[in-house]
Amino acid sequence: MKAVVYRGPDDLRLEIVPVPEIEPGELLVRVAICGVCPTDIKKIHYGTVPPPRIFGHETAGVIAKIGGPLRRSRSGVNGFQVGDRVALHHHVPCMRCHFCRHRAFAQCAGYKRTGITAGFEPAGGGYAEYVRVMPFVLPGVVKIPARNTFEEGAMLEPVNTVLKAVKRLNLLRGDSVLVAGQGPIGLMFTKILSLRGIRVAATDLMENRVKLALEWGAETSFDAGDKEAAGKIRSAFPVLDAAIITVPSTPVVLEAVELVRGSAQVLLFAHTRKGEKSEVDFASVCLDEKDLIGSYSSDFTLQKEVARLVFSRRLDVRGLITHRFPLSQTSAAVALASKPTPESLKVITCAGWTDFPALVQSPYQSAKGQARSRTLRVRGATT
């Protein structure tokens, strides 16, 4: 099969690799769509992990094969069949350790294992034609409803990360929040907050994104490059109960700490590169009781809520996807996502067998829509 292999910093190569072999209880999924994630971009650009790897974890596709023999759970049984259209989830926590008991799932050793691979060290594998889905992440796999597209399925993972972060904030309906950065992630924050009755002030450096923020639910938006931006935000929102920083900018964090009220929270969402340091006025934390917190990755327990939000189109993610690249042009997709243009938002890669924007009917189903193989039963799988 074709796959885009990471061979070192900024070195992605289209290669022919073996189709992954699956074991009993595993799935082989034919990839339809894979989103380009900033986390993978940083690994590719800075070479933070050793090659070779096949990245891509915002993945949706069709079940091509099921490993047997099949095992049936005693409770909470849901099934998968060959031909099912599914959205994948590459991290699932153990639900037993200290971190899981405190709902810090991203710190769980089991969660840090990647359960989807197209070969080499497991790294998501979505930049390939097929992926192997291991048993321990099957409870995070979601079936895509007939009316929804593969693209919507692939967006479940990034939406999950945003919803998880929103739930970390102590917000009440009518509260005010600054969302710094209105790229795809920032716009999702803006929309989800507005759906919860939160007033949003948005900022971005790109004029079109400043305007888009208003369409996605912001009450007001500002040019982050304007030297008077902080004063304008204070004028429009004298009180800010939280700030969400979706850009890896230390000056933006420090400004947000100054802008929010006492007892407010400043949430970092994009500062994932270790080693970056800055000075913080500790009195703002102690005396003003401001919280500086972070949120990283997704929360498996939110999968059902995320699926309802996306598949109902209350959060209509289709409008976020602006650029689609074939698998062979993954390097160009990553380059665009790392240096967005005024016209670009979410960038995805598409397998050659899908039609743009995405198929609705599975090629593995008969004319009557009946899947042609056995069913895999998985404890806790979401449908």
Side-chain angles (χ1 to χ4, degrees):
M1 68 173 183
K2 295 177 182 178
V4 176
V5 183
Y6 162 75
R7 291 292 180 181
D10 288 327
D11 186 359
L12 295 176
R13 305 179 191 178
L14 183 66
E15 300 182 14
I16 301 298
V17 301
V19 174
E21 295 184 2
I22 61 172
E23 299 180 0
E26 298 184 339
L27 302 178
L28 181 69
V29 173
R30 190 180 188 188
V31 176
I33 299 292
C34 186
V36 178
C37 173
T39 301
D40 283 345
I41 291 174
K42 291 175 184 177
K43 293 175 183 176
I44 293 167
H45 181 64
Y46 294 109
T48 57
V49 294
R53 296 178 191 237
I54 301 172
F55 289 117
H57 59 264
E58 299 175 358
T59 309
V62 173
I63 297 176
K65 185 178 179 181
I66 294 173
L70 306 176
R71 291 179 291 178
R72 185 183 295 268
S73 173
R74 295 179 180 178
S75 62
V77 176
N78 292 298
F80 292 116
Q81 295 180 329
V82 168
D84 283 344
R85 301 162 63 250
V86 290
L88 305 183
H89 198 74
H90 62 310
H91 291 306
V92 171
C94 73
M95 304 303 292
R96 298 183 301 275
C97 70
H98 170 85
F99 296 113
C100 287
R101 291 197 301 272
H102 289 79
R103 297 191 64 81
F105 300 125
Q107 307 308 313
C108 165
Y111 181 94
K112 293 180 180 181
R113 295 171 58 204
T114 299
I116 302 176
T117 182
F120 309 113
E121 179 72 17
Y127 300 150
E129 292 183 310
Y130 289 90
V131 293
R132 168 192 169 206
V133 183
M134 302 176 205
F136 68 93
V137 295
L138 290 178
V141 177
V142 177
K143 292 181 183 178
I144 302 172
R147 83 163 187 148
N148 296 105
T149 66
F150 285 124
E151 292 184 350
E152 290 171 289
M155 290 295 289
L156 293 191
E157 196 275 343
V159 172
N160 189 310
T161 66
V162 171
L163 184 61
K164 170 192 171 181
V166 168
K167 287 178 175 283
R168 290 213 63 192
L169 298 171
N170 300 322
L171 296 173
L172 299 175
R173 192 175 187 86
D175 282 352
S176 301
V177 175
L178 169 68
V179 179
Q182 291 297 296
I185 290 293
L187 289 171
M188 286 191 284
F189 269 113
T190 295
K191 184 63 175 180
I192 290 175
L193 289 167
S194 67
L195 288 173
R196 291 169 168 256
I198 307 299
R199 301 175 63 213
V200 176
T203 63
D204 199 276
L205 290 171
M206 295 187 183
E207 181 181 357
N208 67 316
R209 292 185 175 187
V210 173
K211 295 177 180 177
L212 268 176
L214 300 175
E215 298 177 17
W216 281 75
E219 186 171 313
T220 185
S221 57
F222 304 93
D223 177 1
D226 183 352
K227 294 181 180 180
E228 304 298 324
K232 292 178 180 179
I233 293 170
R234 284 195 181 97
S235 178
F237 282 72
V239 173
L240 284 170
D241 300 285
I244 299 170
I245 315 303
T246 73
V247 292
S249 169
T250 298
V252 172
V253 175
L254 298 179
E255 184 175 69
V257 172
E258 293 296 320
L259 284 171
V260 297
R261 71 188 303 172
S263 79
Q265 295 169 291
V266 176
L267 184 142
L268 276 59
F269 193 82
H271 286 73
T272 56
R273 188 184 179 196
K274 291 190 175 183
E276 297 182 18
K277 302 185 187 322
S278 180
E279 293 184 359
V280 176
D281 182 356
F282 291 134
S284 66
V285 176
C286 181
L287 183 64
D288 298 333
E289 297 184 312
K290 297 178 182 181
D291 292 339
L292 186 62
I293 64 174
S295 184
Y296 179 69
S297 197
S298 58
D299 180 345
F300 150 75
T301 67
L302 298 178
Q303 277 292 76
K304 289 184 179 180
E305 184 177 352
V306 170
R308 288 193 298 268
L309 185 64
V310 172
F311 293 147
S312 69
R313 293 176 177 160
R314 289 189 70 222
L315 174 60
D316 193 345
V317 296
R318 294 174 297 173
L320 290 173
I321 301 170
T322 57
H323 290 74
R324 301 166 176 87
F325 289 80
L327 181 64
S328 60
Q329 295 180 23
T330 297
S331 290
V334 170
L336 176 60
S338 64
K339 295 182 179 179
T341 66
E343 296 77 26
S344 67
L345 287 171
K346 186 64 179 179
V347 179
I348 64 171
T349 62
C350 306
W353 61 274
T354 59
D355 292 327
F356 293 90
L359 291 176
V360 174
Q361 179 75 13
S362 163
Y364 284 87
Q365 291 184 341
S366 67
K368 294 183 179 180
Q370 300 297 317
R372 297 200 299 258
S373 187
R374 55 193 175 183
T375 301
L376 173 64
R377 301 290 178 178
V378 182
R379 174 180 56 83
T382 51
T383 58

